[in-house]
């Protein structure tokens, strides 16, 4: 029977051999955390390598994602679909072992990590989702949601500001099933971190409301004892500070910063093999070590036990069991199409003239009664974002009480835009919930990397952004979004909607709810916007991203394309012009680009080259549609502090200016 040391050394050997092939990677963290991983996976982790998506599995997140060979080694050793050849293809094109763990590439990888701090924050979202799902579904004697979220993280994760946002909130929430192992090795790329990271990390986390335990990260008995204590502490998350040696086992390089991100080299690998008493060839693992790691039988038994538990739950609570199954599968509720169609028709009939942030709340009120999977929230702007619907129930109340209602469906995130967004991603990855979170469009800047990660992972997070332009008014240029809309559109796989009235707003929500393969940004106004009259066909065409809102008899002399608050301006200018002007509302350029060529030609016929685009944002992206000889009325500077009507006139968003532009091109 293999010893614990031999089991841990298997991680070290696979890591140094895999990193050596491309001469690229980060062997230090996996070799330093190998003893922690061995204890966690062999003594505590509830998972099934033959069914990586088992609903009640424990989640594991490698937040210091540069150490990707640690999870890859463990997944291979425990029996996941990750072969020796896959390990040999480390960091190669289309392999299952990319340079950082990437969601969707490798069975058993729960989230994409690499940008430091986001992994731990995703894990907060996963632990939060577990807590909410447990409160919503568990019954006395029937705990079908009952699992832990384990995290490995390093100094870099703790230096990133997002970890402060997320870990503070995790402490406030009392997420007792969140257990983190801090790789306290004092080393980062530049060297010993004492010169730039002098935090008293244990005190910091105790101040957040965490349980903190310090151990020797190379002592399995201490690690096991600490983990058992962490599991027993159900009302606080736990940080286990593990004092480790980076690159443990490499006799000439361990403890130094070069082993952080450089291959060991053939000479040092040979020395490491000798120092570890590891006589085996590269990627050769003895049978007794494979047997010591193999989790397939135990994992199948754990899942089978849960299946029995769920069968008993289904017999006692059939409706709840069916709902749990639907939500974990990510399916929409029965009758969704009919419900959504009626909601949009009702909003169209109401024909309100109002800010689209108010229209967004109207949409939430219409859709949320049939979507119990919604988990809403705002970064301390709920009254302004209008994201609290008639069915919203706060998890963390605002009356000063620390009591939490995890059966609720709405979170006050505090002023934590980045943290909120990455937590939402973790909630989505957990399954069973569809998160939406809101702030002002300007502050999407704070959250930008979490938005990118959602798009990269192709997951359904819904980001709501209000106060979308200079229409914000008196708060001035610090709050007025100018460049945010076009740059959000540049993110691959990000759906971006900027709507002109309540009907387009309802459609944007419908599309975001239905979109399961990527995130959405829903962008809404502070100021009132007029209702636009449409036929049934036009309403149906809204979700195509761009459609003809106002047309002419015969071929138009010119086309005006607009979004959001500028659509009504375009309609007024078309009416005032002596030209035959078609108005195209284009709330989503990415949705429009996804249409076939025939539809796009029907909206923007190539023969009509006289085109004007109008949007209160940086204009560059619109030249794709108007051509170099077209006109774009947009923002080329930051805004100013003044009432919105004054600003629109000052910056040229007037009927006269649009008419003049039409005359210039036509």
């Amino acid at each position: 029977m293999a010893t614990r040391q031999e089991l841990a050394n298997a991680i070290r050997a696979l890591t140094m051999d895999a990193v050596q092939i491309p001469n690229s990677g980060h062997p230090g963290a996996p070799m330093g955390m190998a003893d922690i991983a061995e204890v966690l996976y062999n003594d505590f982790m509830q998972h099934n390598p033959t069914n990586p998506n088992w609903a009640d599995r424990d989640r594991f997140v490698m937040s210091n994602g540069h150490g990707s060979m640690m999870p890859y080694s463990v997944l291979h050793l425990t029996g996941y679909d990750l072969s020796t050849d896959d390990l040999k293809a480390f960091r190669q094109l289309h392999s299952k072992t990319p340079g950082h763990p990437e969601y969707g590439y490798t069975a058993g990888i729960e989230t994409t990590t690499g940008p430091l701090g986001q992994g731990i924050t995703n894990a907060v979202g996963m632990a939060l989702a577990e807590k909410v799902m447990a409160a919503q579904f568990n019954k006395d004697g029937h705990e079908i949601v009952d699992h832990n979220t384990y995290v490995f993280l390093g100094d870099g994760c703790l230096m990133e500001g997002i970890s402060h946002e997320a870990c503070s909130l995790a402490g406030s929430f009392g997420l007792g099933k969140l257990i983190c192992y801090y790789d306290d090795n004092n080393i980062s790329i530049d060297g010993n971190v004492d010169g730039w990271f002098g935090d008293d990390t244990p005190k910091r986390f105790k101040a957040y409301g965490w349980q903190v335990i310090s151990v020797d990260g190379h002592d399995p008995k201490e690690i096991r004892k600490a983990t058992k204590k962490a599991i027993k502490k159900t009302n606080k998350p736990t940080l286990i500070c593990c004092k480790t040696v980076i690159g443990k086992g490499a006799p000439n390089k361990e403890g130094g910063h070069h082993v952080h991100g450089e291959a060991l080299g053939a000479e040092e690998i040979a020395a490491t093999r000798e120092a570890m008493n590891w006589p085996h060839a590269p990627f050769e693992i003895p049978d007794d070590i494979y047997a010591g790691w193999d989790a397939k039988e135990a994992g199948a038994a754990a899942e089978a036990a849960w299946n029995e538990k769920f069968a008993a739950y289904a017999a006692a609570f059939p409706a709840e069991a069916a709902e749990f199954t639907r939500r974990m599968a990510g399916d929409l509720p029965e009758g969704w199409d009919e419900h959504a169609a009626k909601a949009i028709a009702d909003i169209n009939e109401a024909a309100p003239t109002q800010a689209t942030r108010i229209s967004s709340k109207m949409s939430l009120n219409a859709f949320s009664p049939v979507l119990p999977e919604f988990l809403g929230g705002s970064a301390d702007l709920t009254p302004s974002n209008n994201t609290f619907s008639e069915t919203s129930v706060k998890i963390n109340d605002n009356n000063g009480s620390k009591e939490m209602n995890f059966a609720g469906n709405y979170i006050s995130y505090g002023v934590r835009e980045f943290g909120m967004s990455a937590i939402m991603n973790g909630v989505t990855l957990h399954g069973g919930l569809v998160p939406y979170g809101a702030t002002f469009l300007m502050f999407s800047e704070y959250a930008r990397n979490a938005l990118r990660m959602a798009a990269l992972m192709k997951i359904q997070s819904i980001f709501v952004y209000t106060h979308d332009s200079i229409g914000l008014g008196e708060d001035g240029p610090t709050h007025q979004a100018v460049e945010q809309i076009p740059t959000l559109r540049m993110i691959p796989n990000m759906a971006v909607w900027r709507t002109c009235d309540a009907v387009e707003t309802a459609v944007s929500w419908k599309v975001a709810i239905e979109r399961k393969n990527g995130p959405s940004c829903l962008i809404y106004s502070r100021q009132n916007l007029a209702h636009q009259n449409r036929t049934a066909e036009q309403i149906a065409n809204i979700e195509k991203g761009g459609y003809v809102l106002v047309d002419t008899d015969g071929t138009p002399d010119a086309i005006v394309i607009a979004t959001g608050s500028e659509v009504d301006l375009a309609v007024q200018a078309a009416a005032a012009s002596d030209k035959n002007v078609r108005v195209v509302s284009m709330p989503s350029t990415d949705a429009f680009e996804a249409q076939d060529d025939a539809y796009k030609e029907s909206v923007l016929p190539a023969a009509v080259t006289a085109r004007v685009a109008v949007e209160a944002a940086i204009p560059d992206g619109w030249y794709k549609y108007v051509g170099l000889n077209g006109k774009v009325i947009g923002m080329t500077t930051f805004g100013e502090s003044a009432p919105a009507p004054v600003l629109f006139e000052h910056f040229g968003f007037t009927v006269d200016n649009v008419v003049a532009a039409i005359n210039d091109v036509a």
Side-chain angles (χ1 to χ4, degrees), residues 352-361 383-386 439-441 464-473 481 485 497-502 504-505 508-509 522-531 563-568 616 644 648:
T353 290
Q354 60 191 18
T356 47
R357 62 174 175 151
I358 306 295
S359 299
S360 174
K361 184 171 184 175
S384 294
N385 297 146
N386 285 278
T439 185
F440 289 176
L441 177 57
V464 181
Y465 296 124
T466 67
H467 298 62
D468 69 343
S469 69
I470 58 171
L472 173 64
I485 297 168
W497 289 82
R498 183 175 185 241
T499 61
C500 77
D501 67 0
E504 284 192 357
T505 299
S508 71
W509 267 107
L522 308 182
I523 299 174
Y524 302 131
S525 74
R526 179 197 186 202
Q527 73 274 27
N528 289 343
L529 304 183
H531 171 76
T563 78
S565 51
E566 289 70 70
V567 168
D568 191 59
F648 278 114

Side-chain angles (χ1 to χ4, degrees), residues 496-635:
V496 180
W497 289 82
R498 183 175 185 241
T499 61
C500 77
D501 67 0
V503 177
E504 284 192 357
T505 299
V507 172
S508 71
W509 267 107
K510 172 184 178 288
V511 174
I513 290 164
E514 293 174 350
R515 187 172 196 245
K516 301 296 183 179
N517 62 349
S520 300
C521 291
L522 308 182
I523 299 174
Y524 302 131
S525 74
R526 179 197 186 202
Q527 73 274 27
N528 289 343
L529 304 183
H531 171 76
Q532 302 296 324
N533 292 317
R534 300 175 182 84
T535 65
E537 181 181 3
Q538 286 174 312
I539 293 174
N541 283 338
I542 292 173
E543 63 184 75
K544 295 179 180 178
Y547 64 101
V548 178
L549 178 62
V550 176
D551 211 358
T552 64
D553 293 330
T555 303
D557 298 323
I559 298 173
V560 179
I561 310 166
T563 78
S565 51
E566 289 70 70
V567 168
D568 191 59
L569 172 61
V571 171
Q572 293 182 52
S577 173
D578 59 4
K579 309 286 186 183
N580 293 319
V581 179
R582 170 181 287 186
V583 177
V584 171
S585 178
M586 194 174 288
S588 175
T589 57
D590 55 275
F592 182 72
E593 288 301 322
Q595 306 308 309
D596 60 37
D597 290 342
Y599 178 77
K600 288 187 282 188
E601 172 66 18
S602 74
V603 175
L604 298 175
V608 182
T609 59
R611 300 180 182 184
V612 175
V614 190
E615 185 176 61
I618 296 298
D620 298 34
W622 288 110
Y623 287 101
K624 175 179 183 178
Y625 296 106
V626 303
L628 295 179
N629 294 321
K631 294 282 187 179
V632 181
I633 298 173
M635 292 292 297

Side-chain angles (χ1 to χ4, degrees), residues 346-389:
D346 289 346
I347 289 172
N348 182 59
E349 185 175 351
T353 290
Q354 60 191 18
T356 47
R357 62 174 175 151
I358 306 295
S359 299
S360 174
K361 184 171 184 175
M362 179 184 283
S363 299
L364 282 170
N365 287 338
F367 294 137
S368 61
V370 299
L371 295 170
E373 55 263 51
F374 262 168
L375 183 65
S378 174
D380 203 48
L381 288 168
T382 294
S384 294
N385 297 146
N386 285 278
T387 40
F388 194 80
S389 76

Side-chain angles (χ1 to χ4, degrees), residues 284-296:
E284 179 182 304
I285 305 294
D287 290 343
D288 63 332
I289 292 179
Y290 270 128
W293 274 104
D294 192 348
K296 293 192 293 294

